């Protein structure tokens, strides 16, 4: 693997939430085609609701330590210089990068790296990893059909479904899942 940059973080993935955006990215549908890895000649590796153990930090990362449990959500980078970033609204930055879009490698892997450690957060010990990972989603969580799709797909791939969560029962009985 390439060297971890001064602001980078590497995490050994233990839990990943599954989101409707992952289905759209994998299928290149719903207006997502231009944001996939495929669009830039790379594979599409999803996963943006991540809990794991920090295995590496860049020299400028002070808020995380190797061995610490941490989480990563939808965003993985911003400029930190524009008016939006300076006001704490990094999600509006025109340079924002998403964790598993445009060729960035998501967390459906053993390890993942992000270049901007400010988007990796310490997860308190009191928070259950399987229940917390889906909360790192950047938007509205999956609906019934997507939730059911993910449960079936996860089982098909041989994963053990460790938790499901409900958003608005009974409309979304499957909510999202964490594998």
């Amino acid at each position: 693997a390439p060297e971890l940059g001064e602001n980078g973080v590497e995490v050994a993935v233990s839990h990943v939430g599954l989101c409707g955006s992952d289905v759209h990215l994998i299928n290149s549908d719903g207006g997502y085609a231009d944001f996939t890895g495929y669009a830039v000649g790379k594979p599409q590796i999803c996963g943006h609701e991540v809990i794991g153990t920090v295995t590496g930090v860049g020299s400028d990362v002070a808020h995380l330590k190797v061995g610490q449990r941490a989480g990563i959500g939808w965003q993985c980078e911003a400029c930190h210089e524009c008016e939006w970033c300076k006001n704490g609204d990094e999600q509006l930055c025109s340079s924002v990068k998403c964790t598993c879009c445009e060729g960035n490698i998501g967390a459906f892997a053993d390890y993942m790296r992000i270049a901007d450690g400010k988007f990796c957060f310490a997860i308190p010990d009191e928070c259950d990893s399987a229940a917390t990972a889906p909360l790192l989603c950047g938007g509205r969580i999956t609906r019934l059909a997507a939730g059911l799709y993910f449960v079936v797909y996860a089982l098909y791939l041989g994963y053990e479904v460790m938790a499901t969560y409900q958003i608005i029962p009974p409309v979304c009985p499957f909510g999202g899942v964490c594998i």
Side-chain angles (χ1 to χ4, degrees):
E3 283 192 40
L4 197 57
E6 60 190 22
N7 294 307
V9 175
E10 181 182 76
V11 173
V13 177
S14 65
H15 295 78
V16 183
L18 294 164
C19 175
S21 294
D22 294 317
V23 171
H24 292 303
L25 287 165
I26 290 168
N27 294 331
S28 279
D29 64 12
Y32 282 70
D34 292 341
F35 300 101
T36 67
Y38 313 130
V40 293
K42 294 184 178 181
Q44 178 59 47
I45 301 175
C46 293
H48 61 271
E49 303 170 0
V50 186
I51 301 284
T53 303
V54 175
T55 55
V57 295
S59 59
D60 289 349
V61 176
H63 69 288
L64 296 167
K65 305 289 181 220
V66 171
Q68 185 174 12
R69 194 165 62 128
I72 300 169
W74 178 252
Q75 286 183 244
C76 67
E77 197 171 333
C79 78
H80 302 293
E81 299 295 326
C82 70
E83 70 174 295
W84 300 112
C85 287
K86 289 183 179 192
N87 287 324
D89 292 317
E90 291 90 349
Q91 74 279 8
L92 301 175
C93 175
S94 63
S95 299
V96 71
K97 293 195 189 255
C98 298
T99 302
C100 60
C101 291
E102 301 163 334
N104 293 328
I105 306 293
F108 293 156
D110 294 327
Y111 292 86
M112 75 171 293
R113 286 182 166 194
I114 60 172
D116 188 344
K118 292 180 181 177
F119 291 96
C120 186
F121 309 95
I123 302 296
D125 292 337
E126 296 79 18
C127 295
D128 177 74
S129 294
T132 302
L135 300 177
L136 295 168
C137 184
R140 187 181 346 164
I141 317 294
T142 57
R143 295 183 178 173
L144 171 62
L148 179 58
Y149 175 89
F150 283 131
V151 170
V152 172
Y153 189 63
L155 292 171
Y156 170 77
L157 292 176
Y159 290 101
E160 175 185 358
V161 176
M162 300 169 64
T164 64
Y165 62 97
Q166 296 181 359
I167 304 303
I168 308 171
V171 176
C172 300
F174 291 97
V177 296
C178 186
I179 56 173

